[in-house]
Amino acid sequence: MSRKPEINSDRFLARIDDFAAVGATPGGGVNRQALTTGDREARALLTALARARGFSVFQDDIANLFIRMEGKDSALPPLLIGSHLDSQPAGGRFDGALGTLTAFEVLESLADAAFEPARAVEVVAWTNEEGCRFSPGCMGSRAFVEGKIPAAWQELQAVDDASRFDDERLATIEALAPDVGHRALGFPVGAYLELHIEQGPSLESEKIPIGIVTGVQGTRWLEATFEGQTAHAGTTALEYRRDPLKALSAGLAALYATVMPENAGARFTVGRITVTPGSINAIPAQASCTIDLRHPEATVLDRLEADVRERLAKAAETEGVSASIRKTADMAPVTFAEDVVAALQVAAQKAGFRTLSMVSGAFHDALFMAGHAPSAMIFVPCRDGLSHNEAEFVKTEDSIAGARMFLASVLEMLR
Ligand code: HGY
Ligand code: MN
Ligand code: MN
């Protein structure tokens, strides 16, 4: 006899703490970068919990992890719910993990209530959402939607070491293989829902517990490499110098002074600068940097990208060095399916939650899933809007409200 499904708050909060211990850093965050031992440990923990509940568990060719609860009509494509378990190198305990564990808690609360959904419900933990160890981000959801692993990713190497993406992908699949089934990449999905922390200040400052996300802004990642001539720091006079770091610094200074100050809504970030040979008394031979450029409108992104390329080229020319710019990620802005957003609003009303409609400044796997199935997201507040920082924090009442809203949304989507 089934009863009304309810979130088990104690179990859910304990799960959040258990996963925060996987890859825990001394600063109170996590370092569980994609396809590392920490990531594999988190996947194994979730798999063990799922198998203990009798759910079936699968992974696909890019190590996306799926946990399935059967429904009345197995011919219907499943409702897919989830997020990611991988983290930034100095990441927070909630980015990705909260959404994945919320989805799993909902599956458990359906099972606790002996609730038989009209269609199967599957929890997914996507591979490499962050894109910091291997670029680009959202590799798991992108390969799922495209139904293949892009050939260019076969030779991908990690940012900080010589690890190859393909080796790490296969080792991650291998680590779980004995306990889980295997699936080809991509399958029909009825709808996709993802809960995530807002990673911004709006919900907290407006004291609203739930964000209903109507879309995601566009993101482009570039790598700029300036090549000059390394030479002696003490004997090389100004007129003989071709200093790539001086050129890159001037180009970046011009971009910091224009991109965000002159374009409301634009986001311009240089996350990493690499200088070689990196000797205190040698003028650099090469200076390179990453650029993360974002805006809600594709046409503005086009203009901003052209501006970045032009200013860097000019700075290189002024110093007599060469510049090359490579685009390593291009995520077009998306608007989520109106009917799914409407279902979330109905769910919020029934559950009694005030909501705020918003566009996500961060990218998510839902951005790619929106091209595959009707999708939408729910946000919960995080302290000071801080994320990609070990101090990232979500109040327990906000985690629980999010889980209750997510359960109400899943039930609404299953009606
Ligand atoms: O960078 C992003 O937007 C995501 O949080 N990985
Ligand atoms: Mn995330
Ligand atoms: Mn993130």
Side-chain angles (χ1 to χ4, degrees):
M1 173 65 175
S2 76
R3 58 178 172 74
K4 186 173 177 298
E6 280 186 354
I7 294 300
N8 179 326
S9 306
D10 293 345
R11 171 178 64 196
F12 177 48
L13 295 173
R15 285 273 154 71
I16 293 171
D17 290 343
D18 293 346
F19 278 76
V22 179
T25 55
V30 291
N31 179 0
R32 220 176 28 225
Q33 294 184 73
L35 307 178
T36 57
T37 44
D39 186 16
R40 290 174 197 153
E41 203 186 312
R43 291 160 177 265
L45 179 55
L46 186 61
T47 299
L49 292 169
R51 287 164 50 85
R53 286 300 309 237
F55 299 134
S56 40
V57 186
F58 305 89
Q59 52 185 356
D60 64 17
D61 295 338
I62 198 165
N64 292 319
L65 188 64
F66 300 93
I67 297 166
R68 182 178 172 92
M69 165 188 255
E70 294 303 335
K72 287 189 186 102
D73 183 349
S74 58
L76 287 174
L79 171 64
L80 192 61
I81 58 177
S83 190
H84 61 96
L85 289 172
D86 67 295
S87 81
Q88 287 282 321
R93 299 178 288 139
F94 299 90
D95 177 357
L98 188 68
T100 308
L101 296 176
T102 298
F104 187 67
E105 171 55 32
V106 164
L107 215 60
E108 289 209 272
S109 63
L110 297 180
D112 292 344
F115 178 90
E116 195 189 10
R119 60 172 72 221
V121 182
E122 296 200 10
V123 170
V124 59
W126 297 109
T127 294
N128 192 24
E129 186 277 344
E130 293 292 354
C132 42
R133 182 180 185 218
F134 296 103
S135 178
C138 294
M139 289 172 88
S141 51
R142 191 175 134 188
F144 178 87
V145 170
E146 293 180 7
K148 65 177 178 8
I149 297 177
W153 296 354
Q154 308 289 358
E155 292 317 312
L156 258 184
Q157 280 208 347
V159 161
D160 288 333
D161 58 43
S163 314
R164 289 179 64 251
F165 171 74
D166 224 32
D167 299 339
E168 298 291 80
R169 167 183 73 89
L170 293 170
T172 302
I173 291 169
E174 206 44 49
L176 271 187
D179 301 333
V180 302
H182 188 266
R183 271 180 180 164
L185 261 172
F187 50 81
V189 169
Y192 176 71
L193 287 184
E194 180 168 358
L195 178 137
H196 205 284
I197 57 173
E198 179 196 344
Q199 300 176 301
S202 311
L203 290 172
E204 185 186 52
S205 58
E206 309 236 3
K207 294 190 179 28
I208 293 178
I210 298 294
I212 292 183
V213 187
T214 57
V216 183
Q217 73 174 342
T219 295
R220 293 185 190 172
W221 283 357
L222 305 172
E223 275 178 13
T225 303
F226 281 38
E227 304 259 1
Q229 184 184 48
T230 185
H232 196 293
T235 57
T236 313
L238 187 57
E239 62 270 29
Y240 297 104
R241 288 182 177 225
R242 288 195 302 110
D243 182 342
L245 182 56
K246 184 179 175 217
L248 182 61
S249 309
L252 292 181
L255 292 170
Y256 281 124
T258 52
V259 175
M260 290 181 71
E262 294 173 3
N263 300 276
R267 297 287 182 271
F268 172 81
T269 308
V270 176
R272 189 174 60 247
I273 285 191
T274 312
V275 179
T276 50
S279 159
I280 185 168
N281 49 359
I283 299 166
Q286 186 189 85
S288 63
C289 77
T290 58
I291 289 172
D292 178 313
L293 191 62
R294 308 198 188 195
H295 195 277
E297 293 159 53
T299 48
V300 175
L301 262 180
D302 289 341
R303 175 171 60 78
L304 293 175
E305 182 183 340
D307 199 23
V308 166
R309 289 175 179 276
E310 194 187 318
R311 286 185 190 274
L312 291 180
K314 192 150 165 284
E317 193 190 335
T318 308
E319 292 301 324
V321 302
S322 68
S324 65
I325 298 180
R326 195 166 65 93
K327 182 147 58 176
T328 58
D330 190 343
M331 302 180 184
V334 292
T335 302
F336 288 138
E338 281 178 13
D339 57 338
V340 180
V341 169
L344 298 186
Q345 276 150 354
V346 168
Q349 222 163 15
K350 287 183 179 172
F353 287 116
R354 282 178 61 221
T355 64
L356 181 67
S357 279
M358 47 208 320
V359 172
S360 176
F363 61 72
H364 300 284
D365 295 297
L367 179 147
F368 286 94
M369 281 307 289
H372 186 75
S375 304
M377 293 183 74
I378 290 166
F379 275 172
V380 295
C382 54
R383 185 174 56 198
D384 304 332
L386 197 59
S387 182
H388 287 195
N389 181 307
E390 292 172 299
E392 182 184 277
F393 180 76
V394 177
K395 290 190 296 195
T396 47
E397 59 265 36
D398 289 332
S399 294
I400 292 165
R404 289 189 175 132
M405 169 64 189
F406 201 72
L407 173 59
S409 305
V410 165
L411 292 173
E412 194 62 31
M413 296 295 292
L414 290 169
R415 277 161 36 90

